[in-house]
Amino acid sequence: MAPRTTLTALLLTTAVALSACSAGGSPGPAAGGKTLVVDTSFDLKTADPGRMYEATGLFIGKAVYDTLLTFDGGDVTKPVPALAKSYELSQDGKVLTLELRPGAKFSDGSPVTADDVVFSLTRLRDLKGNPSFLLEGVEVAKTGESTITLTSKTPNPALPYILPNPVLGILNSKVAKAHGATTDDKDKAEQYLNSASAGSGPYVIESFNVSNQVVLRANKEYYGDKPAYDKVVIRNVEAATQKLNVQRGDSQIALNLSGDQAKNMPAGLQVKRAASANVIYMFATRNEAVSKTTANPKFAEAVRKGVDYAGLLELAGEGSVQAPGIIPSQLLGALPPEQAPERDVAGAKAALAASGLTDPSVELEYPSELTVNGLSLQPLAERVQANLKEVGITVELKPTPLTAAADNYRNGKEEMGLWYWGPDHPDPSGYLVFLPGKPVGLRLGWKAGADKELEALGEQAATTVGDDARKQAYAELQTRLNSSGPYIPLIQPGQNIVTAASVTGLDYHPVWTVDLADLGVK
């Protein structure tokens, strides 16, 4: 989600939800522990790996399409083998070599081959769909009977962290080609891939409706451990109804409850709480044609020091944490909690005085109907408005329908904005888009050359190889970005998942939310 700087990114985890009664013949409780019913708020457009980049699509894609690499549970700090039994990144970070594991099969029983891998990854890159940017500048080649090599023009230490994304799921190339799949923009396989499976994952698609309900069934040809559930029914349900359904046993998992909604659950239900990888943040445009007020760097400093972060956390509820920087806490290079800013009203007033601005008034725009992990942006905006009034800044709230707000954001028309960002892949390189001259920076009128020291840190971070060195490079970059940039990271809202007592093995994952294959039943 081009990167998730497009509208797709902005819609991640958005509730486009319907009530359970519209879910198209919703099933009742699980029968014999073999059917799992999952309620979630759909953000879903397609099941085609080459085109998907929405939250619900990634959740489904993880179950249907195995990838070369994956992660162990919710740990995103180290990629581990999946379809590939081993991988090695060259010392210069430009060449990633993978060896396929023997015995892996597609759902029709045919073997997974290196040719399937080359076709799938080349198709993703050249289809020019939402996720194509992930392999931009990367050549994919078969260099042995079971060996695949990915070669990047520039150092790309993020590649092992990119490959686990479900959009890089491996297709059965013969089946896909027979239904119109190509490695260019003439591809016509999406309709087929929305109705059937061409993958090697633990589940296959039984039925698929982007508005109401998706049904998966266990893949009888799966080469790994067989999934515990024979069938998984995924329903599009608004958060309030999700709560009711899981309480009365009509579902076994509710994925999208806010911290308040997940409180005081009755005995027999489990609540899994964690900070989500979504960072809610504000920005103040640097484009003087849009606002000479916010383009003043001292104005952003005043806002940064004037926000009551502790108060925002109270509004967000359990599971939420303050965001010390734009990179979420789960990822390599995230700033430690002790570097998170604290409110400093005197410092904010001093920064405003130094700006030369007198009684500034600005508009803060945000999508009116957007919820992030069950949290509405409206109360956050109201709290910020009250905080900044105490500093001497008048904030006019501008709630705007999502589509219009997204257009304004994307076209750089917002004076101040309240949005959120989720990871394209669990690697800090995905956040370089916030720098001057990069996609998000440009939307704020922050052009290349605006902060040469920061830009140099970005170039260094992008090419640094080795976890320890990368961690330090991205921490330095964020420290500078916090002090001189137009962004004010606020919070990571909680991911509150409620399950029946019978469900075991659930771990929250910042990319695909939950791995259905990991779930057990007792």
Side-chain angles (χ1 to χ4, degrees):
M1 163 170 334
R4 271 196 292 191
T5 53
T6 62
L7 174 60
T8 303
L10 305 174
L11 299 178
L12 180 64
T13 65
T14 301
V16 192
L18 306 174
S19 68
C21 64
S22 65
S26 302
K34 294 298 183 181
T35 296
L36 178 72
V37 181
V38 181
D39 284 348
T40 186
S41 298
F42 273 20
D43 182 12
L44 180 63
K45 291 184 178 180
T46 181
D48 183 345
R51 293 180 168 90
M52 73 169 62
Y53 220 71
E54 295 73 41
T56 312
L58 298 177
F59 171 56
I60 293 166
K62 176 61 178 172
V64 176
Y65 291 96
D66 270 355
T67 49
L68 292 169
L69 302 177
T70 188
F71 293 103
D72 185 9
D75 182 4
V76 296
T77 62
K78 184 68 175 177
V80 298
L83 284 175
K85 66 178 182 180
S86 64
Y87 69 97
E88 182 178 359
L89 184 66
S90 63
Q91 289 188 350
D92 64 4
K94 292 182 178 181
V95 181
L96 181 65
T97 304
L98 305 107
E99 196 73 23
L100 282 181
R101 72 167 65 248
K105 298 178 181 179
F106 288 111
S107 57
D108 66 355
S110 60
V112 178
T113 69
D115 291 325
D116 294 309
V117 173
V118 173
F119 174 82
S120 300
L121 300 188
T122 303
R123 176 180 183 262
L124 172 86
R125 184 194 65 203
D126 296 343
L127 193 60
K128 304 305 179 187
N130 281 327
S132 295
F133 77 97
L134 289 172
L135 291 183
E136 185 177 353
V138 176
E139 293 299 323
V140 185
K142 175 182 174 181
T143 51
E145 191 59 31
S146 59
T147 306
I148 301 98
T149 301
L150 278 64
T151 305
S152 179
K153 295 178 181 179
T154 58
N156 194 351
L159 269 177
Y161 295 84
I162 291 172
L163 288 180
N165 193 306
V167 303
L168 282 88
I170 305 305
L171 292 162
N172 184 328
S173 59
K174 292 181 180 178
V175 171
K177 288 176 183 178
H179 291 87
T182 64
T183 55
D184 55 33
D185 57 9
K186 296 180 177 62
D187 181 277
K188 293 182 173 61
E190 182 178 13
Q191 184 174 353
Y192 171 76
L193 295 174
N194 281 344
S195 62
S197 302
S200 59
Y203 287 94
V204 297
I205 294 173
E206 181 174 294
S207 64
F208 184 87
N209 185 297
V210 297
S211 299
N212 297 334
Q213 179 172 285
V214 175
V215 179
L216 308 178
R217 57 180 171 82
N219 175 7
K220 295 180 180 179
E221 297 290 341
Y222 188 54
Y223 63 93
D225 294 335
K226 303 300 181 185
Y229 294 93
D230 297 326
K231 180 179 285 190
V232 179
V233 180
I234 304 160
R235 309 186 299 192
N236 186 16
V237 180
E238 62 183 6
T241 308
Q242 287 183 38
K243 178 179 179 178
L244 293 174
N245 286 348
V246 75
Q247 286 179 324
R248 62 193 178 200
D250 287 343
S251 66
Q252 287 69 54
I253 299 179
L255 285 182
N256 302 108
L257 302 189
S258 69
D260 286 341
Q261 288 171 326
K263 283 182 179 178
N264 303 318
M265 283 291 166
L269 293 178
Q270 306 171 99
V271 181
K272 181 82 172 182
R273 288 191 177 91
S276 74
N278 295 319
V279 173
I280 296 177
Y281 70 99
M282 286 195 302
F283 66 77
T285 186
R286 290 290 171 90
N287 187 344
E288 290 191 359
V290 175
S291 174
K292 291 184 178 180
T293 298
T294 63
N296 188 322
K298 282 293 182 179
F299 176 84
E301 181 183 340
V303 172
R304 187 177 297 109
K305 291 180 177 179
V307 170
D308 178 10
Y309 300 95
L312 295 181
L313 277 180
E314 289 179 7
L315 288 176
E318 294 187 50
S320 303
V321 298
Q322 186 177 344
I326 203 66
I327 297 175
S329 58
Q330 297 91 337
L331 273 58
L332 182 82
L335 290 174
E338 56 267 23
Q339 280 194 237
E342 296 180 356
R343 193 179 195 205
D344 177 6
V345 175
K349 290 180 177 178
L352 190 60
S355 74
L357 299 169
T358 304
D359 299 325
S361 179
V362 294
E363 286 187 342
L364 176 64
E365 183 168 281
Y366 51 94
S368 54
E369 73 273 37
L370 178 66
T371 60
V372 185
N373 302 102
L375 179 65
S376 169
L377 297 183
Q378 180 69 30
L380 298 180
E382 292 172 352
R383 182 65 61 90
V384 167
Q385 180 187 45
N387 292 164
L388 296 185
K389 183 177 181 179
E390 297 175 25
V391 172
I393 299 172
T394 299
V395 177
E396 299 291 338
L397 300 185
K398 190 179 178 183
T400 304
L402 177 60
T403 301
D407 284 343
N408 289 338
Y409 162 78
R410 188 171 51 205
N411 295 319
K413 296 180 179 179
E414 293 184 329
E415 186 174 25
M416 288 186 69
L418 177 63
W419 287 96
Y420 82 102
W421 193 271
D424 292 319
H425 49 277
D427 186 85
S429 60
Y431 293 80
L432 294 174
V433 294
F434 285 86
L435 300 186
K438 303 300 182 181
V440 178
L442 287 173
R443 290 175 180 178
L444 276 60
W446 210 23
K447 299 178 181 179
D451 190 330
K452 293 182 179 179
E453 181 179 337
L454 178 60
E455 292 165 61
L457 288 173
E459 291 175 6
Q460 178 185 345
T463 57
T464 297
V465 179
D467 287 352
D468 290 342
R470 296 183 79 219
K471 180 178 180 180
Q472 181 177 347
Y474 280 100
E476 290 178 3
L477 181 148
Q478 284 186 95
T479 300
R480 172 76 183 187
L481 184 62
N482 281 351
S483 66
S484 64
Y487 310 105
I488 301 94
L490 300 175
I491 59 172
Q492 292 173 231
Q495 179 79 39
N496 299 278
I497 301 175
V498 177
T499 77
S502 59
V503 178
T504 63
L506 187 148
D507 280 309
Y508 165 70
H509 195 280
V511 176
W512 49 75
T513 311
V514 172
D515 186 348
L516 291 170
D518 283 348
L519 301 183
V521 59
K522 65 179 179 181

